[in-house]
Amino acid sequence: MHISTPAIFQRILRVAGLLLALIVFAPTTSRAQTWLVSTDAYVKLGVLDKFGQLGAYTAKFVVINQATGKEYTLVRQISEGAKGIDVVFPSEASEADYFKTEKGEAATAKPGQYTWECQVKGKKVVGGRFNFSEVANDVTLVGKN
């Protein structure tokens, strides 16, 4: 099948016209600089059966916000051979298991003092306290030189 020269020429003109339109309607450089800032505080809590004497066990982590008195819990099963686990407070509510109140309210990293403990077989085995401080973000505009 023979392709005529005018058909090829028309195709080239269409492609050139499309490229010209893209150049003409291309966005110009932005005049304002925009930054997205995200700051999240987390604490990693953990428990470890150092010598592996318990085998499989259940670890219940309890975190209490000292200002509000709200108690957040997270229960994790530790399989035999694993010995221990680390968890992150506050955990994302989108996870299958997360720190929450009895009513299902997800924990947040509000500024303030917190206490925590890990219970195994109903007894406190480890615990401590931590603080979340106020967070401030600074954004600097970078100019072209």
Side-chain angles (χ1 to χ4, degrees):
M1 175 175 173
H2 179 64
I3 300 176
S4 66
T5 306
I8 293 174
F9 185 66
Q10 286 178 347
R11 177 176 266 161
I12 291 172
L13 283 177
R14 284 183 187 154
V15 171
L18 178 62
L19 290 175
L20 181 62
L22 288 175
I23 291 170
V24 169
F25 294 112
T28 59
T29 57
S30 62
R31 300 190 190 275
Q33 186 177 27
T34 304
W35 296 98
L36 177 63
V37 180
S38 176
T39 306
D40 290 325
Y42 295 95
V43 173
K44 185 161 68 169
L45 310 170
V47 65
L48 175 70
D49 176 18
K50 189 173 180 180
F51 299 110
Q53 296 172 337
L54 290 178
Y57 63 96
T58 302
K60 179 180 179 182
F61 291 89
V62 180
V63 176
I64 301 171
N65 181 327
Q66 296 298 294
T68 64
K70 285 189 179 181
E71 187 174 300
Y72 303 95
T73 60
L74 175 64
V75 178
R76 289 287 173 93
Q77 302 295 325
I78 291 75
S79 60
E80 190 162 346
K83 294 185 183 178
I85 192 167
D86 288 330
V87 296
V88 175
F89 177 87
S91 47
E92 296 292 329
S94 59
E95 295 178 14
D97 294 319
Y98 59 96
F99 277 95
K100 59 188 169 194
T101 64
E102 284 185 6
K103 295 179 180 179
E105 178 185 347
T108 58
K110 292 182 180 175
Q113 297 179 348
Y114 294 80
T115 58
W116 75 277
E117 66 181 47
C118 180
Q119 302 169 1
V120 175
K121 296 185 179 180
K123 295 182 182 178
K124 176 182 173 181
V125 293
V126 293
R129 62 183 149 244
F130 59 89
N131 293 315
F132 284 133
S133 61
E134 295 274 340
V135 176
N137 297 308
D138 295 327
V139 177
T140 304
L141 296 180
V142 180
K144 292 182 181 179
N145 292 334

